[in-house]
Amino acid sequence: QVQLVESGGGLVQAGGSLRLSCAASGLTFSTGVMGWFRQAPGKEREFVTGITISGSSTRYADSVKGRFTISRENPKKTVYLQMNSLKPEDTAVYYCAADLARAIISSSPRAYDYWGQGTQVTVSS
């Protein structure tokens, strides 16, 4: 019954910023993990960042650390991805995902049971 809907993607110049949102419905408890993945054409799906639903911990891929920030809004179960200092290599479809089986932030897509439809982020050089 969990549904995730991403929004906020678009076209931005290198060095610019975007904020992605993931609206989650059907989450009636306070445990688990919400994460962001991305997939560029011809590449494997890549872990970007994750946050425990409780907000107690976060995790970032080395490629985005210091530039991206994940946050959550508990009442609405909404997760945000603030993307600053964007680079052309950040261009990808970004997916929101939920892992409700554990409270450990996994970097493996296989750990996540629910996925959004994806939102395109394109960074021009």
Side-chain angles (χ1 to χ4, degrees):
Q1 295 182 357
V2 175
Q3 294 186 354
L4 308 176
V5 180
E6 304 99 331
S7 62
L11 174 65
V12 65
Q13 72 275 15
S17 298
L18 285 173
R19 188 178 75 167
L20 307 183
S21 299
C22 174
S25 62
L27 295 178
T28 59
F29 51 92
S30 60
T31 59
V33 173
M34 299 288 292
W36 288 95
F37 289 77
R38 66 187 183 186
Q39 188 164 22
K43 296 185 177 180
E44 296 181 356
R45 190 164 297 187
E46 174 191 24
F47 173 79
V48 177
T49 182
I51 187 170
T52 54
I53 292 176
S54 68
S56 62
S57 64
T58 59
R59 181 183 177 186
Y60 295 89
D62 289 342
S63 59
V64 306
K65 197 169 187 178
R67 300 188 297 121
F68 292 7
T69 303
I70 188 170
S71 61
R72 93 275 184 252
E73 187 176 56
N74 277 341
K76 298 181 179 180
K77 300 297 183 182
T78 301
V79 179
Y80 303 97
L81 179 61
Q82 180 65 47
M83 310 165 67
N84 297 328
S85 301
L86 283 162
K87 305 175 181 179
E89 51 262 45
D90 295 319
T91 296
V93 176
Y94 283 71
Y95 297 92
C96 179
D99 172 12
L100 305 184
R102 60 189 65 82
I104 303 298
I105 303 173
S106 175
S107 62
S108 173
R110 296 177 180 85
Y112 295 80
D113 302 303
Y114 303 96
W115 294 84
Q117 81 286 356
T119 185
Q120 177 70 46
V121 172
T122 302
V123 184
S124 61
S125 60

